[in-house]
């Protein structure tokens, strides 16, 4: 059953029915709040609804990347692989929607296009692309962080005679690329996951790489039933530890420094990290990898050596070996046969840093030195991350100020949850929260629980509005920047820094202090009568 949201007044409007929106709805319902959820897609799943490109898969392990709030849910659901594929995660999202009967409050095929705060009545007026207009006391932005796909700024894209695809908007019926000359632009996670499978299908694949990325083998495999049984037996304890961990996944804490380590021992450690097949296997071996350039270089060189071992053509191997950013400062990737793909006869790597892309034309793509004839072009070019989905709605707050105007020089939030001048508006895993630096499921649960506890407490105390104080927000923005600047992250032109979108302010968007520290701060704020917020 799906909803048709009628006009009128709601306690809360939730934007988006991905994992953040679904859990928000469930918690609001438990509070007895009358809630309406709008979702642009025709079903639940958010990121996992849209990103259907070949090879799309989570790179946090399935038994971590799943809700922990319901012991029954986590016991009954059976993941089949260590790293779940997009279809399996989407099946899980659908199972959750059915199990908790969520669809009756979700209106699909409906994009929220505007939200204006009515100061007189203290409500948000929310409008959609289908002409709905509803008002709500609370507005919860669960619109995702990697949900505004970005095309490259290349002249002539519209003139291309073949088919074009963005990895984040992949046709639901799938795409048959067999027999075609395919070009892929982009070598982030989406490119690195899809390129090996596209290469198997295409007659010829040309990969246009601007920045080589660090990637390590995922070592994906079917889940071992003994491991699953043991994890399920201790799931509650494991989840407790994950909630109190730095990244929302339980990994050993280390104080040792790579720069102080014995070289043989360091090599040994990196080899063991490499064979873990996890995103953090290498960076977590030493405490200084993301802080000290010398320590980072040890990891970077280790990965470059592995690439050179796999790729048979030394020129291609050199081009694939990242040297322009420290390890981990762009999201590292987990792959299945990515570097091996460049040993295939039907795959060509084009370094577009060396020979920049000039234009797309009807027949293909032109760089400064050559023309590549193509039948299909795949954009694995990423997203306007974190702020893009919020600016697409561009809420209008107190005094008619838009979020875009307020965040002109970079996002300003208190705890990554709310922003002054926009009362009763909450963001989930937005800027200033640990968000994309963590297992998103753990961050989503923490945010949703904090927000719903807050609005429940407000109702119980007869409080109608909550809004951050400007000095508390200033303090948080400074703190987020300060800890970000203690790391090597700002050294890369990454989407974490907003660097992939022309004109976007160069600001480190997520909070790198760690989920456990962040959770403690949020709990303290709530326990201290929502310190830093004005409640009226
Ligand atoms: P990413 O990680 O932002 O990757 C986008 C890729 O596209 C990256 O290699 C970019 O190169 C490349 N790109 C973007 N624009 C261009 C142009 N104009 N020319 C050439 N190359 C270009 O997006 P993904 O979808 O792969 O992954 C996003 C996140 O999803 C990922 O980090 C995980 O958290 C899951 P650049 O590096 O900017 O030089």
């Amino acid at each position: 059953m799906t909803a048709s949201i009628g006009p009128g007044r709601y306690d809360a409007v939730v934007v988006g029915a991905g994992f953040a929106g679904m859990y928000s709805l469930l918690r609001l319902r438990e509070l007895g709040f009358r809630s309406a959820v709008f979702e642009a897609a025709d079903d639940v799943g958010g990121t996992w609804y849209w990103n259907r490109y070949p090879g799309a898969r989570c790179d946090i392990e399935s038994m971590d990347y799943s809700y922990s709030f319901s012991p029954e849910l986590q016991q009954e659901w059976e993941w089949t692989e260590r790293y779940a594929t997009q279809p399996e995660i989407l099946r899980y999202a659908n199972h959750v929607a059915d199990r908790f009967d969520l669809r009756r409050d979700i209106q699909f095929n409906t994009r929220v296009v505007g939200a204006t705060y009515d100061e007189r009545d203290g409500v948000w007026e929310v409008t959609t692309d289908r002409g709905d207009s509803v008002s709500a006391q609370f507005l919860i932005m669960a619109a995702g962080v990697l949900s505004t796909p970005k095309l490259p700024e290349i002249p002539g894209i519209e003139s291309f005679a073949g088919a074009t695809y963005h990895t984040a908007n992949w046709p639901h019926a799938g795409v048959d690329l067999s027999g075609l000359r395919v070009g892929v632009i982009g070598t982030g996670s989406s490119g690195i996951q899809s390129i090996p499978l596209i290469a198997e299908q295409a007659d010829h694949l040309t990969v246009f790489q601007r920045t080589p990325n660090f990637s390590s083998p995922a070592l994906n495999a079917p889940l071992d039933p003994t491991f699953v049984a043991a994890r399920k037996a201790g799931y509650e304890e494991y989840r407790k530890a994950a909630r109190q961990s730095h990244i929302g996944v339980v990994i050993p804490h280390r104080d040792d420094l790579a720069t102080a380590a014995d070289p043989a021992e360091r090599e040994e450690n990196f080899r063991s990290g490499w064979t873990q097949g996890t995103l953090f296997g290498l960076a977590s071996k030493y405490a200084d990898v993301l802080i000290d350039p010398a320590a980072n270089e040890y990891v970077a060189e280790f990965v470059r050596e592995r690439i050179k071992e796999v790729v048979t053509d030394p020129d291609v191997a050199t081009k694939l070996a990242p040297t322009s950013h420290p390890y981990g400062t762009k999201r590292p990737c987990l792959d299945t046969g990515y570097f091996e793909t460049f040993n295939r006869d039907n795959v060509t790597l084009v370094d577009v840093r060396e020979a920049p892309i000039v234009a797309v034309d009807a027949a293909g793509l032109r760089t400064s030195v050559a023309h590549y004839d193509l039948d299909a072009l795949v954009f694995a070019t990423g997203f306007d991350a974190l702020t893009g989905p919020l600016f697409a709605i561009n809420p209008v707050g107190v005094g008619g100020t838009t979020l875009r105007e307020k965040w002109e020089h970079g996002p300003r939030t208190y705890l990554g949850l709310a922003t002054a001048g926009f009362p009763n508006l909450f963001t989930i895993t937005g800027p200033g929260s640990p968000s994309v630096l963590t297992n998103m499921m753990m961050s989503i649960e923490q945010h949703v629980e904090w927000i719903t506890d807050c609005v429940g407490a407000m109702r119980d105390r007869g409080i109608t509005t909550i809004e951050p104080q400007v000095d508390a927000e200033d303090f948080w923005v400074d703190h987020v920047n300060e800890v970000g600047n203690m790391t090597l992250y700002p050294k890369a032109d990454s989407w974490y820094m907003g660097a992939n979108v022309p004109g976007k302010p160069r600001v480190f968007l997520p909070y790198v202090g760690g989920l456990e520290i962040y959770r403690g701060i949020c709990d303290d704020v709530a326990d201290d009568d929502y310190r830093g917020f004005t409640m009226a």
Side-chain angles (χ1 to χ4, degrees):
M1 176 174 152
T2 64
S4 174
I5 307 274
R9 170 142 184 191
Y10 291 81
D11 295 318
V13 161
V14 178
V15 184
F19 286 118
M22 288 201 292
Y23 188 39
S24 299
L25 171 59
L26 185 60
R27 292 273 301 197
L28 290 163
R29 220 188 245 172
E30 284 167 3
L31 286 170
F33 277 47
R34 188 166 176 247
S35 310
V37 182
F38 292 109
E39 166 56 58
D42 67 11
D43 211 337
V44 296
T47 288
W48 300 104
Y49 174 93
W50 296 104
N51 284 265
R52 301 183 185 222
Y53 59 84
R57 185 187 283 287
C58 190
D59 46 22
I60 298 288
E61 294 189 42
S62 317
M63 295 199 75
D64 286 290
Y65 192 86
S66 45
Y67 287 124
S68 73
F69 68 81
S70 161
E72 298 79 20
L73 171 66
Q74 70 181 7
Q75 289 297 333
E76 77 199 10
W77 182 259
E78 298 287 345
W79 293 106
T80 64
E81 290 181 70
R82 182 183 185 200
Y83 292 109
T85 59
Q86 173 272 331
E88 187 166 21
I89 301 173
L90 195 56
R91 278 200 297 281
Y92 173 72
N94 275 277
H95 171 74
V96 172
D98 294 341
R99 191 187 194 288
F100 297 101
D101 188 20
L102 297 178
R103 288 192 177 83
R104 67 183 154 91
D105 291 319
I106 306 173
Q107 182 174 308
F108 294 105
N109 297 307
T110 309
R111 187 175 285 281
V112 171
V113 292
T116 302
Y117 188 65
D118 176 337
E119 289 175 58
R120 206 193 47 168
D121 292 343
V123 291
W124 282 96
E125 299 293 344
V126 177
T127 51
T128 75
D129 63 351
R130 294 199 1 190
D132 308 282
S133 180
V134 298
S135 60
Q137 185 184 359
F138 297 105
L139 178 59
I140 299 184
M141 304 295 268
V145 294
L146 295 165
S147 53
T148 305
K150 207 193 145 290
L151 283 173
E153 294 72 27
I154 302 173
I157 288 178
E158 62 298 333
S159 67
F160 183 57
T164 57
Y165 307 98
H166 193 291
T167 45
N169 222 335
W170 202 259
H172 290 191
V175 178
D176 183 6
L177 295 168
S178 49
L180 302 183
R181 296 162 301 175
V182 181
V184 173
I185 301 179
T187 51
S189 281
S190 305
I192 283 180
Q193 288 188 336
S194 59
I195 282 165
L197 293 170
I198 294 176
E200 282 175 14
Q201 260 196 22
D203 179 53
H204 193 91
L205 169 64
T206 308
V207 176
F208 298 95
Q209 169 193 273
R210 187 165 65 185
T211 309
N213 231 321
F214 292 100
S215 184
S216 52
L219 308 180
N220 185 42
L223 272 171
D224 172 6
T226 319
F227 166 78
V228 173
R231 172 60 60 82
K232 284 193 172 178
Y235 230 157
E236 286 301 296
E237 284 307 304
Y238 180 83
R239 296 294 207 172
K240 219 179 269 173
R243 285 186 204 110
Q244 290 305 331
S245 69
H246 199 62
I247 53 168
V249 175
V250 182
I251 53 171
H253 174 80
R254 288 200 171 77
D255 291 322
D256 308 358
L257 302 181
T259 42
D262 166 67
E265 177 207 287
R266 196 168 50 221
E267 174 79 10
E268 180 68 28
N269 252 332
F270 288 152
R271 282 197 186 271
S272 97
W274 184 255
T275 52
Q276 268 173 26
T278 67
L279 268 184
F280 14 82
L282 291 170
S284 66
K285 287 289 171 202
Y286 294 100
D288 50 354
V289 169
L290 290 170
I291 294 169
D292 181 341
N296 192 283
E297 182 54 22
Y298 289 130
V299 183
E301 187 53 24
F302 178 85
V303 179
R304 292 192 285 260
E305 282 167 14
R306 302 290 77 72
I307 296 169
K308 286 173 187 168
E309 276 170 5
V310 169
V311 180
T312 48
D313 180 328
D315 285 345
V316 176
T318 302
K319 284 182 178 147
L320 286 167
T323 51
S324 63
H325 61 282
Y327 177 85
T329 56
K330 277 175 179 267
R331 176 81 150 44
C333 304
L334 284 186
D335 72 88
T336 302
Y338 175 65
F339 293 112
E340 290 83 343
T341 298
F342 293 90
N343 294 336
R344 295 174 65 106
D345 291 339
N346 71 332
V347 175
T348 307
L349 178 70
V350 177
D351 180 346
V352 301
R353 183 101 37 206
E354 205 174 83
I357 298 174
V358 175
V360 171
D361 56 31
L365 186 149
R366 188 152 42 83
T367 69
S368 58
V369 299
H371 186 276
Y372 299 87
D373 290 342
L374 300 170
D375 304 309
L377 191 47
V378 174
F379 300 110
T381 45
F383 303 86
D384 183 353
L386 284 95
T387 53
L390 300 172
F391 288 161
I393 296 168
N394 201 18
V396 183
V398 171
T401 303
T402 66
L403 193 67
R404 233 178 227 284
E405 286 164 350
K406 175 166 178 192
W407 289 4
E408 188 188 353
H409 303 294
R412 305 197 68 77
T413 72
Y414 181 37
L415 306 175
L417 292 168
T419 186
F422 295 78
N424 292 358
L425 181 150
F426 294 100
T427 52
I428 298 182
T429 59
S433 108
S435 184
V436 289
L437 300 177
T438 63
N439 170 7
M440 286 293 267
M441 285 294 200
M442 288 289 114
S443 280
I444 284 171
E445 287 190 338
Q446 185 276 342
H447 290 35
V448 170
E449 286 161 14
W450 192 95
I451 291 166
T452 49
D453 285 349
C454 172
V455 299
M458 287 172 65
R459 183 191 52 191
D460 294 347
R461 291 161 55 183
I463 292 164
T464 53
T465 60
I466 183 166
E467 182 186 346
Q469 292 157 12
V470 172
D471 55 350
E473 181 171 291
D474 290 347
F475 165 80
W476 186 251
V477 172
D478 289 348
H479 177 58
V480 169
N481 286 327
E482 191 187 346
V483 289
N485 288 332
M486 287 164 68
T487 71
L488 300 174
Y489 281 107
K491 294 202 179 302
D493 289 334
S494 65
W495 59 258
Y496 293 145
M497 294 295 297
N500 64 328
V501 178
K504 193 163 171 172
R506 197 184 165 94
V507 175
F508 187 61
L509 295 165
Y511 174 57
V512 73
L515 182 60
E516 80 289 33
I517 289 170
Y518 174 80
R519 180 186 298 278
I521 296 169
C522 291
D523 289 349
D524 278 355
V525 164
D527 291 346
D528 195 8
D529 201 17
Y530 293 95
R531 184 181 68 236
F533 286 96
T534 299
M535 295 168 117

